[in-house]
Amino acid sequence: MQEFLDLLALYYLCDATALVRPMSGAEISACMETYDAVKAWFAPFDLAPRGSLERHAQMLQGYAGFQDWQAANGALVADMRGDAMARARGLVGVLVR
């Protein structure tokens, strides 16, 4: 469970960072990998090859599962999003100095 929560913390930090400042290409790429990992967490275990229609369908299914999980865990999601936003805003202050 901790691995999943760590992945979600990174997912929400990516979202928060994108809201407070422009992201570099490397950051965007890393965040896209994180988004895929979250969707894969909720997708069937044996993922089809990248770029295939089957993989696309599995990722859509995974995203739907993630949305369901967020709806069922609203308080935790709100706390994690709030922590991510505070962290992202704090990082902006560090970078501006």
Side-chain angles (χ1 to χ4, degrees):
M1 182 65 159
Q2 187 59 48
E3 180 183 348
F4 175 66
L5 292 176
D6 291 344
L7 180 62
L8 282 183
L10 187 53
Y11 177 92
Y12 294 132
L13 182 58
C14 284
D15 279 355
T17 301
L19 290 173
V20 299
R21 67 169 173 82
M23 296 170 63
S24 71
E27 288 173 318
I28 292 168
S29 181
C31 286
M32 293 305 295
E33 288 181 27
T34 300
Y35 297 156
D36 280 350
V38 168
K39 291 182 280 188
W41 190 277
F42 290 93
F45 289 111
D46 296 323
L47 292 174
R50 285 186 180 270
S52 67
L53 290 176
E54 183 181 1
R55 174 73 170 245
H56 177 71
Q58 289 172 328
M59 293 308 237
L60 287 175
Q61 180 182 353
Y63 185 70
F66 175 53
Q67 292 298 309
D68 291 344
W69 182 89
Q70 286 189 117
N73 295 279
L76 176 60
V77 170
D79 287 346
M80 291 183 78
R81 283 191 178 277
D83 290 346
M85 184 58 74
R87 189 168 170 205
R89 286 184 176 140
L91 291 174
V92 168
V94 169
L95 293 172
V96 171
R97 290 183 190 157

